[in-house]
Amino acid sequence: MRDFRKASAVLLVTLTFIALSSRQVRGNYHDSVAQQPAIPDDCSNKAEFPPPLLSKMPPGSKADFEKRVYDFLNTGSYLGWCRDKGVRDTGPYINNTYYGTHPAVRIFYSPNVVEWLKHGRKDPLPDGAMIVKEQYTPPSARYLDMNETELAAAFAKSKDWTVMIKDSAGAKDGWFWGEFYAGMTFDGGSTALAYPNAGFGQYCLRCHASAEKESTFSSLDNLKAFPGDPLTFFVDDSWRKLSPLEKPALYTHPSHRLTAFTRAPSGPNPEFLKYFPSIGPVPVNKVEVMPAETLDRVVAGPKGAEQFISSDQCMMCHSAATGPYGPIMFLQTAPPVNGVPSGINVSPYGEWRWSPMGLAGRDPIFFAQLESEIAILKSEFKEPDTAIRATVNTCLTCHGGMGKRQFDIDHKDPWANFQLDYLKITDPADPNFKYGSLARDGISCALCHHATEAANSSIADFLENSTTGQFLLNKPDEVYGPFKDDTISILPMDNALGIKPKHSDFTTSSRLCGTCHTINLPNIDDPLKPGEKPTVLDRAEKNPVFKPFKHSLEQATYMEWLNSSFQTDFGPTATAKSCQDCHMPGSYENAVNRINIPQLQQLIAVIEDGSYPAADNRTDQRQIRVRFREEGFVRHELLGLNAYLMEMFNQFNTLLGVRKDDYMSGSKTGLQNAIANVVEQAKSETATVEVLSKKIEGNKLTTTVRVTNLTGHRFPSGVGFRRAFLEFNVKDATKDIWTSGRTNNVGIILGANGQPLPSEFYEEYRDGQQLKQHYQPHYETITSQDQVQIYEELVTDSKGKISTSFIHRDTEIKDNRLLPKGWTPAGPSPKIPEEYIKETFPKGNALQDPNYSDGSGTDVITYEVILPEGTNPANVSVTATLFYQAIPPPYLNMRFREADGPATKRLYYLASNLSVSRTAIDSWKLKVASVTVK
């Protein structure tokens, strides 16, 4: 019976069913069931569910409450309440497929519910009122001739109940919801990954929020003790034991059991351990496990939502639907396999969940980086606590934005002392549990859809006041989206959460993205001198702890876009595209899945509206209609190229605390599909590589290669430690004879001798009396296998050491990341402060490269190779390949040398045990583009 738990709540009615549903009538339900001996003295039991309700129990009592509910049901304590006239269907049964919103049910109503129904369903229903659904294998025709004893025996085979207990202090909708069955797990606790069987704010609201009152469709017509007839639905005979010639085609109903979760590999990669020895093997039992996502749960309270609620409250309606009424926001690529849908979840929740934004609050790379920052501060300051608090609060303003901002709101302090340890809290009784739950939920639905900007805000005002995660927030009871107000159905969300969806142009503005992709950070080794005038960047700092220091943009993706031909704000050209145009496309194209849909045409939500089976006491259809969007449906893909992060979640989901199944659709491939989309984006929308010329004179090969950036910002962009590099390979027939940029299996770039280049770990050397570090400068001509064109940003700290610290950025010695097309030294408008435009400039040798100043978004490199004697020029071919590394070896080396706390050890375990062979990041590198010329 539990196969119906989710499918029954997500299914919409197809056109075929709409035609069939015209046969729905209020039939004569006084059948043989009604004539059988009733439960003794029907409606005689006047006992309500015994207190206390969950909202009145101490935090952390949910499991105890669930056990009490189960005992109440299992002992038959509800028997003798008023009940339905018999087992009834909640939708039609056609060709062995059931279209009900629940299985077949027989419902029992506590006395308070009956009194409420008798008085015309007038508010309020008193707390403690309870509705119990006994659930049976459909259709109800199976049970028409059963007496009470036989019916009890039929129910005993499954013992599956769903319940509603009125508890107005628990959540905005006012109910405790749950499914209870033999062998269930009560409140899975801090390590259980499954969606909870019971609780406040459950997915049941996807349908029940459409009820006319009190989130229930209950009607006196259904009750045995009252006149009237229940709704009936068409049922064919496919459920009977018939010959194949008489039986309609079978349909395999999707199963929603969780998949077996991926476990750790047999052992760490010996090659990884060899090159990163500073920590050494980390046993899995020593890895700090992140709390399960089941705990990332903050529902709308009894007075309505606070500023932020968790994404599972959005999942209810904005994830995909599969099964006989689907697909909705789901692309079916094949028939179901063992009841599991095959295809791609393109719903807002389904794709956001596996994006770097959806994973931001659990990102093990981020937490290791933050641990390094803290370790550096401890080593440099006698009293580092103030700087540590400021660093944690600045970083969590984006990565744990909902938790941090809600904490600030509740404490009425924009820089309240949010603690990193809040993310580790698993005890609901802890007063800071809520903030950790919200923070782990990452850059979540409510964060972006609550964001707004000041009216008529200039670009200068925006950059100074709304970046580094300091975006303005709208009212808690409103969320913003792109659709016009007169095309939005407000009531279901308002009923469920106390939130009204509204139109706002800000949701389609690149400024929304710019709030967290313009990161202005201090160099805490470089305070402003007395009397020194602060720059625009210095003045933009909001944290009083960081005010005294000089600033630079650690991340300038929005500014890079603004200084490109993609920008839409200042005299946009025909090539203009917003951030959302690229990262939230309305199309779906993926060669791996052989899909090419120019514009997805979908519903944006799945709720119970007029396309569902008929129900009593449903709200006026005009208030709950979900419009079919032929235009305007966009995907919440939100991807870059960080396949490394996704593979860590794919292979170590239990350690990182996430379930890999989509609860609402039953799909098990969301994460794999997201990785496939990264691969598609890398090869089709990131960069191209061309060989412009190839000539051999004597024994000298000269080849000119051009790399063109296709993105609307630098490539790579975002955090400065990412890099791309060119591998240039020369072959004599099938034999390699010269290579610049080759790597070993853990992504370390090797030199001519087959050993890691000294530049890979920034090894020190002496130049006379001066101590320096090896690194690869920007090249226009490469003549040695030990020279490699690496597109990256390199920064030194105040001691002149190359650093990946975000708050010790003293001097940029190199930035040759590929500029976007249309880049200019002046930028698109004098309204943009000059200091911000300068943050998009190349640094080091690239500043003198003419390709970096002409706005072409290209780099041209000449390779000069001396061929071995006896090489036949006719056999010589060249291959140029552009690779990308989100967490390159030099970066990992710094992480593992600068800290050894639990976050760093966790990253070490993940990286050392990550199986990359035959994945998108084989040999620890992601291929972007490649070309071969013979």
Side-chain angles (χ1 to χ4, degrees):
M1 299 303 297
R2 284 173 294 283
D3 285 352
F4 291 99
R5 278 183 290 165
K6 296 178 291 293
S8 63
V10 304
L11 302 181
L12 287 176
V13 183
T14 60
L15 291 174
T16 302
F17 166 63
I18 292 174
L20 290 167
S21 66
S22 64
R23 299 180 60 176
Q24 296 170 0
V25 294
R26 291 191 179 277
N28 181 2
Y29 214 87
H30 296 287
D31 48 40
S32 56
V33 171
Q35 308 305 317
Q36 298 298 336
I39 293 171
D41 195 13
D42 186 37
C43 292
S44 63
N45 184 350
K46 304 301 182 183
E48 294 285 339
F49 178 77
L53 300 177
L54 180 57
S55 67
K56 305 301 181 185
M57 297 174 70
S61 301
K62 185 165 171 278
D64 292 336
F65 182 77
E66 289 177 10
K67 291 174 185 176
R68 189 152 58 86
V69 174
Y70 179 80
D71 289 342
F72 180 85
L73 299 169
N74 196 42
T75 56
S77 298
Y78 61 93
L79 300 177
W81 282 353
C82 288
R83 61 178 175 85
D84 281 350
K85 293 180 171 71
V87 177
R88 57 188 173 91
D89 294 314
T90 57
Y93 193 100
I94 306 165
N95 288 349
N96 225 53
T97 300
Y98 183 59
Y99 292 84
T101 54
H102 279 274
V105 297
R106 184 169 66 156
I107 302 180
F108 292 75
Y109 309 84
S110 78
N112 278 333
V113 177
V114 177
E115 287 301 308
W116 179 72
L117 292 173
K118 286 167 61 178
H119 289 85
R121 292 173 51 93
K122 293 180 180 179
D123 294 335
L125 241 176
D127 281 352
M130 186 175 184
I131 299 171
V132 177
K133 296 183 180 76
E134 291 183 343
Q135 300 195 126
Y136 297 77
T137 300
S140 63
R142 299 176 190 271
Y143 313 100
L144 290 180
D145 296 318
M146 289 186 180
N147 59 34
E148 284 295 335
T149 301
E150 293 168 330
L151 197 57
F155 180 70
K157 293 178 181 178
S158 61
K159 280 198 173 182
D160 192 328
W161 302 268
T162 57
V163 303
M164 301 167 60
I165 303 174
K166 188 67 191 298
D167 190 348
S168 60
K172 169 60 172 63
D173 64 273
W175 292 90
F176 174 90
W177 309 84
E179 181 180 21
F180 293 84
Y181 52 91
M184 67 179 289
T185 300
F186 299 106
D187 184 47
S190 63
T191 60
L193 298 181
Y195 185 87
N197 288 298
F200 297 117
Q202 291 290 95
Y203 77 94
C204 317
L205 285 165
R206 168 176 277 190
C207 292
H208 282 267
S210 295
E212 174 262 341
K213 281 182 183 175
E214 287 282 3
S215 299
T216 175
F217 304 101
S218 298
S219 168
L220 285 177
D221 287 337
N222 297 329
L223 274 66
K224 174 179 171 58
F226 295 87
D229 297 304
L231 291 169
T232 59
F233 301 90
F234 177 82
V235 175
D236 68 11
D237 289 325
S238 57
W239 60 276
R240 299 182 185 276
K241 293 181 179 180
L242 300 173
S243 72
L245 295 177
E246 298 172 291
K247 197 173 183 67
L250 292 175
Y251 175 85
T252 304
H253 201 26
S255 169
H256 295 281
R257 292 174 297 175
L258 293 174
T259 55
F261 294 116
T262 307
R263 299 294 179 182
S266 57
N269 181 350
E271 192 171 10
F272 191 96
L273 299 180
K274 173 184 175 182
Y275 289 110
F276 301 96
S278 55
I279 289 183
V282 176
V284 67
N285 61 356
K286 299 295 183 182
V287 178
E288 184 177 71
V289 178
M290 290 188 178
E293 71 167 291
T294 307
L295 298 175
D296 301 353
R297 188 172 179 82
V298 175
V299 306
K303 295 181 180 180
E306 297 182 295
Q307 187 71 58
F308 297 109
I309 55 175
S310 50
S311 62
D312 65 333
Q313 301 301 287
C314 310
M315 172 198 76
M316 297 186 286
C317 300
H318 294 289
S319 191
T322 56
Y325 294 169
I328 303 296
M329 296 183 284
F330 192 86
L331 308 180
Q332 295 182 127
T333 56
V337 178
N338 296 325
V340 178
S342 299
I344 299 167
N345 185 341
V346 294
S347 68
Y349 177 84
E351 292 208 275
W352 162 84
R353 185 168 183 253
W354 298 119
S355 71
M357 293 177 70
L359 302 174
R362 295 175 172 273
D363 182 348
I365 304 163
F366 163 75
F367 287 108
Q369 173 76 37
L370 186 53
E371 196 166 77
S372 283
E373 303 287 1
I374 293 171
I376 294 171
L377 290 171
K378 287 181 177 179
S379 69
E380 290 186 346
F381 295 91
K382 290 183 179 179
E383 297 181 0
D385 290 350
T386 300
I388 289 173
R389 286 197 297 269
T391 301
V392 168
N393 279 269
T394 296
C395 295
L396 269 298
T397 296
C398 286
H399 271 266
M402 293 201 306
K404 164 61 180 164
R405 295 294 287 270
Q406 190 68 57
F407 185 80
D408 293 349
I409 291 167
D410 292 350
H411 290 78
K412 297 178 173 58
D413 179 359
W415 292 103
N417 185 23
F418 185 90
Q419 300 285 326
L420 189 59
D421 283 345
Y422 293 169
L423 283 88
K424 302 177 184 180
I425 296 173
T426 59
D427 180 6
D430 192 300
N432 295 309
F433 171 81
K434 170 179 72 174
Y435 307 117
S437 296
L438 289 170
R440 286 191 304 268
D441 208 24
I443 303 170
S444 190
C445 317
L447 201 69
C448 292
H449 289 280
H450 274 307
T452 186
E453 65 175 337
N456 302 314
S457 175
S458 69
I459 184 63
D461 290 339
F462 170 77
L463 292 171
E464 182 170 349
N465 297 306
S466 295
T467 55
T468 320
Q470 294 301 309
F471 49 84
L472 300 178
L473 294 170
N474 65 3
K475 296 189 296 184
D477 63 352
E478 294 179 355
V479 290
Y480 291 157
F483 297 115
K484 298 298 182 182
D485 288 337
D486 59 358
T487 69
I488 300 172
S489 296
I490 295 172
L491 193 66
M493 188 183 294
D494 195 23
N495 283 345
L497 305 174
I499 298 174
K500 297 176 176 64
K502 291 191 173 185
H503 168 76
S504 171
D505 289 332
F506 191 60
T507 58
T508 58
S509 168
S510 291
R511 287 192 185 184
L512 173 60
C513 309
T515 58
C516 276
H517 289 283
T518 310
I519 304 297
N520 184 29
L521 294 180
N523 173 14
I524 64 172
D525 295 326
D526 192 6
L528 290 164
K529 298 178 178 61
E532 185 176 5
K533 185 178 179 180
T535 68
V536 169
L537 294 170
D538 301 333
R539 295 198 302 270
E541 177 61 72
K542 297 295 183 290
N543 191 326
V545 175
F546 288 155
K547 276 280 188 185
F549 301 99
K550 294 181 181 179
H551 285 67
S552 64
L553 296 188
E554 179 275 324
Q555 186 176 148
T557 305
Y558 171 73
M559 289 308 309
E560 295 158 12
W561 168 85
L562 202 57
N563 192 8
S564 77
S565 61
F566 288 76
Q567 64 85 18
T568 59
D569 293 0
F570 300 98
T573 66
T575 61
K577 289 184 177 182
S578 69
C579 305
Q580 292 89 333
D581 287 336
C582 291
H583 295 280
M584 299 182 67
S587 61
Y588 198 104
E589 182 175 357
N590 192 296
V592 174
N593 294 311
R594 298 180 180 179
I595 295 174
N596 185 359
I597 302 175
Q599 174 60 59
L600 292 166
Q601 299 182 36
Q602 296 285 336
L603 305 173
I604 194 65
V606 183
I607 66 168
E608 178 163 343
D609 61 7
S611 62
Y612 263 61
D616 293 300
N617 300 307
R618 191 159 57 201
T619 298
D620 186 331
Q621 162 65 12
R622 291 169 294 183
Q623 298 187 65
I624 59 174
R625 176 190 168 200
V626 179
R627 288 161 175 80
F628 188 85
R629 304 287 179 178
E630 295 183 359
E631 296 180 347
F633 181 93
V634 297
R635 297 165 52 210
H636 288 55
E637 183 184 35
L638 302 165
L639 293 178
L641 298 185
N642 199 349
Y644 298 79
L645 177 70
M646 295 178 182
E647 274 296 344
M648 287 180 179
F649 276 89
N650 188 35
Q651 297 182 34
F652 305 103
N653 65 295
T654 50
L655 295 177
L656 298 174
V658 297
R659 68 180 78 97
K660 290 168 66 176
D661 297 59
D662 179 66
Y663 182 76
M664 299 309 298
S665 69
S667 174
K668 304 176 186 296
T669 58
L671 186 47
Q672 294 94 314
N673 291 332
I675 294 171
N677 290 337
V678 167
V679 174
E680 181 70 24
Q681 184 164 285
K683 72 178 184 180
S684 63
E685 299 180 53
T686 302
T688 60
V689 178
E690 306 165 86
V691 172
L692 299 181
S693 65
K694 172 195 167 208
K695 63 180 180 180
I696 299 175
E697 295 177 343
N699 67 339
K700 183 179 180 181
L701 166 69
T702 304
T703 306
T704 303
V705 175
R706 179 168 64 195
V707 183
T708 302
N709 181 11
L710 301 180
T711 73
H713 42 68
R714 283 183 178 123
F715 176 67
S717 189
V719 288
F721 54 74
R722 294 169 178 159
R723 75 179 186 182
F725 63 92
L726 271 175
E727 178 190 88
F728 183 77
N729 177 257
V730 183
K731 285 183 181 289
D732 179 1
T734 60
K735 178 184 178 183
D736 292 342
I737 57 176
W738 195 95
T739 304
S740 161
R742 64 174 168 162
T743 71
N744 61 16
N745 291 328
V746 292
I748 298 171
I749 300 176
L750 308 176
N753 60 2
Q755 297 300 310
L757 288 170
S759 54
E760 280 297 83
F761 297 123
Y762 310 129
E763 294 178 16
E764 295 181 344
Y765 69 98
R766 288 202 172 273
D767 183 3
Q769 298 298 313
Q770 192 173 8
L771 191 64
K772 295 185 176 180
Q773 287 177 281
H774 287 281
Y775 70 91
Q776 295 289 329
H778 174 74
Y779 296 101
E780 294 184 52
T781 302
I782 287 178
T783 60
S784 165
Q785 295 181 78
D786 292 345
Q787 298 172 333
V788 184
Q789 189 74 317
I790 304 177
Y791 301 106
E792 62 186 346
E793 178 192 39
L794 292 179
V795 179
T796 60
D797 60 20
S798 60
K799 300 174 185 176
K801 300 284 188 180
I802 294 174
S803 174
T804 53
S805 169
F806 289 178
I807 55 174
H808 293 80
R809 295 166 48 84
D810 189 76
T811 305
E812 287 182 89
I813 59 173
K814 176 188 179 184
D815 191 343
N816 70 334
R817 292 175 292 177
L818 291 163
L819 295 173
K821 184 178 180 181
W823 179 90
T824 68
S829 169
K831 296 179 180 179
I832 304 172
E834 182 182 3
E835 289 91 341
Y836 282 91
I837 292 296
K838 286 184 176 179
E839 292 288 326
T840 70
F841 279 38
K843 306 293 191 302
N845 294 355
L847 195 58
Q848 283 74 47
D849 188 332
N851 293 291
Y852 277 72
S853 59
D854 64 5
S856 64
T858 66
D859 178 39
V860 177
I861 315 100
T862 299
Y863 289 87
E864 297 179 351
V865 179
I866 303 302
L867 301 173
E869 289 188 19
T871 301
N872 182 349
N875 293 335
V876 173
S877 65
V878 298
T879 299
T881 305
L882 183 66
F883 289 105
Y884 173 79
Q885 293 177 322
I887 44 173
Y891 171 78
L892 290 174
N893 185 55
M894 285 191 174
R895 293 290 70 71
F896 303 145
R897 289 184 178 276
E898 291 175 355
D900 63 354
T904 303
K905 288 180 178 177
R906 179 172 56 213
L907 179 61
Y908 191 92
Y909 175 85
L910 298 174
S912 61
N913 286 277
L914 191 68
S915 176
V916 300
S917 178
R918 295 187 298 278
T919 71
I921 51 172
D922 202 343
S923 298
W924 210 263
K925 55 191 180 185
L926 174 67
K927 182 190 287 189
V928 175
S930 186
V931 62
T932 297
V933 174
K934 296 182 179 179

